[in-house]
Amino acid sequence: MNLKKTLALSLAALAVVGAISGCGGDKKDAKAPAEKKEITVGVTPGYSEQVMEFVAKEAEKQGLKVNLKSFADYVTPDQALASGDIDLNSFQHGPFLEAFNEKNGSKLVSIGNTYLAPLRVYSNKIKSLDELKEGDKISIPNDPSNGGRALVLLEQKGIIKLKKGTNPVKAVVGDIESNPKHIEIVELEAAQLPRSLDDVACSVINAGYAKSAKLDHKSALATEDSTSPYANIIAAREKDKDNPTYQKFVKIFQSDSVKKYINDNFSDGLIPAF
């Protein structure tokens, strides 16, 4: 009886181990993400949303439904991505994403470039930056990377001078070393910049929000040049960077048809970056 009992227990134990091993194998297989037929992509008003509407139509031809979720600011799209409320977003450049990760401890990554959307300086009051007077106000984006980007543009135009060695991606108002005309730098949410034009001498405005506000790029007093490293990207959660559906979406975005659409419809400043 003891021998039979021992054999029975041994066989039972082997069965349990086999079952656990089998489950482990199933779990391993389950980790490979299946290709999805539908995704949600976060965008912001203006270029970001308009280009993505065309990309969504191209994706539909390949059996992928792309739902767009528009956000009114530059913070909530990354918050929504980090929390899993959306699958991807496409509205920002790499330095902005890095700053968001650093501040929030998130793990969002770029999975592909889209286009460069240059910053421009607009004004309702002056026709040239040479007309700036002592104590005039200039509004710029208040987020870390775009704020630094705006300061670099103002430095290139000779309005201010930043301290030697300042990291352009992390430049802040406190890094201004020389300000001959004592210009007051007003930091505002990017979406508010077009509305500030009646209250400041000029404003450094992101391309998407300038487009939404129907500002004429031809009237800009200054434009960020093509040497800028601030190409926009498609962002995903780090754990999903190799997701086959998301990689398929990137390929659709970086197709010749999308490049042609950007060149044909946004000659006012968007430059394909793929």
Side-chain angles (χ1 to χ4, degrees):
M1 290 294 293
N2 288 339
L3 180 57
K4 288 181 179 180
K5 186 174 181 180
T6 300
L7 286 171
L9 288 172
S10 299
L11 289 170
L14 286 170
V16 170
V17 170
I20 292 173
S21 299
C23 290
D26 291 342
K27 285 184 179 178
K28 185 175 181 181
D29 291 340
K31 286 182 181 178
E35 189 164 330
K36 301 165 72 172
K37 299 297 182 184
E38 185 172 347
I39 62 173
T40 299
V41 180
V43 295
T44 49
Y47 293 120
S48 169
E49 189 168 22
Q50 290 173 303
V51 172
M52 197 58 69
E53 286 173 351
F54 179 80
V55 175
K57 292 177 183 176
E58 293 297 295
E60 191 171 1
K61 296 175 184 177
Q62 298 191 35
L64 176 61
K65 182 177 180 181
V66 178
N67 301 307
L68 304 187
K69 186 168 184 179
S70 185
F71 296 88
D73 62 80
Y74 283 168
V75 177
T76 49
D78 277 338
Q79 292 175 334
L81 180 58
S83 65
D85 291 339
I86 58 177
D87 298 298
L88 303 169
N89 68 39
S90 178
F91 74 98
Q92 66 193 319
H93 49 63
F96 183 93
L97 181 64
E98 290 173 13
F100 180 87
N101 281 334
E102 186 176 334
K103 182 177 180 180
N104 296 278
S106 51
K107 293 183 178 180
L108 306 180
V109 298
S110 168
I111 59 172
N113 284 355
T114 56
Y115 50 76
L116 172 67
L119 287 180
R120 290 188 172 92
V121 181
Y122 293 92
S123 177
N124 286 347
K125 298 181 178 180
I126 60 177
K127 300 296 183 183
S128 166
L129 292 178
D130 293 334
E131 297 177 28
L132 284 169
K133 302 187 300 295
E134 181 84 12
D136 270 347
K137 296 179 180 179
I138 298 179
S139 56
I140 68 171
N142 69 351
D143 59 87
S145 55
N146 282 312
R149 186 181 175 188
L151 292 174
V152 169
L153 178 57
L154 294 179
E155 181 180 45
Q156 289 174 346
K157 299 306 173 183
I159 297 169
I160 60 171
K161 185 179 175 71
L162 298 171
K163 296 174 184 174
K164 187 176 181 180
T166 297
N167 183 338
V169 174
K170 297 183 177 181
V172 296
V173 173
D175 291 321
I176 296 175
E177 181 178 70
S178 174
N179 185 355
K181 292 186 178 180
H182 301 97
I183 299 298
E184 181 181 345
I185 304 296
V186 181
E187 298 176 277
L188 299 173
E189 288 283 343
Q192 303 300 319
L193 292 169
R195 301 177 200 173
S196 74
L197 285 172
D198 289 333
D199 302 315
V200 298
C202 58
S203 179
V204 185
I205 303 177
N206 300 76
Y209 288 117
K211 179 77 171 179
S212 296
K214 295 181 170 53
L215 298 176
D216 183 1
H217 73 284
K218 295 177 183 177
S219 69
L221 308 186
T223 300
E224 193 175 26
D225 64 31
S226 59
T227 62
S228 171
Y230 292 89
N232 278 25
I233 60 172
I234 298 168
R237 291 176 290 277
E238 185 178 45
K239 65 179 182 179
D240 296 327
K241 64 182 181 180
D242 297 320
N243 183 295
T245 306
Y246 301 165
Q247 291 297 324
K248 176 180 179 179
F249 175 77
V250 171
K251 288 181 180 178
I252 293 170
F253 196 113
Q254 296 180 344
S255 64
D256 289 340
S257 58
V258 173
K259 179 180 287 187
K260 184 177 186 302
Y261 175 78
I262 293 173
N263 287 331
D264 289 349
N265 293 275
F266 302 99
S267 58
D268 53 353
L270 288 192
I271 305 169
F274 52 87

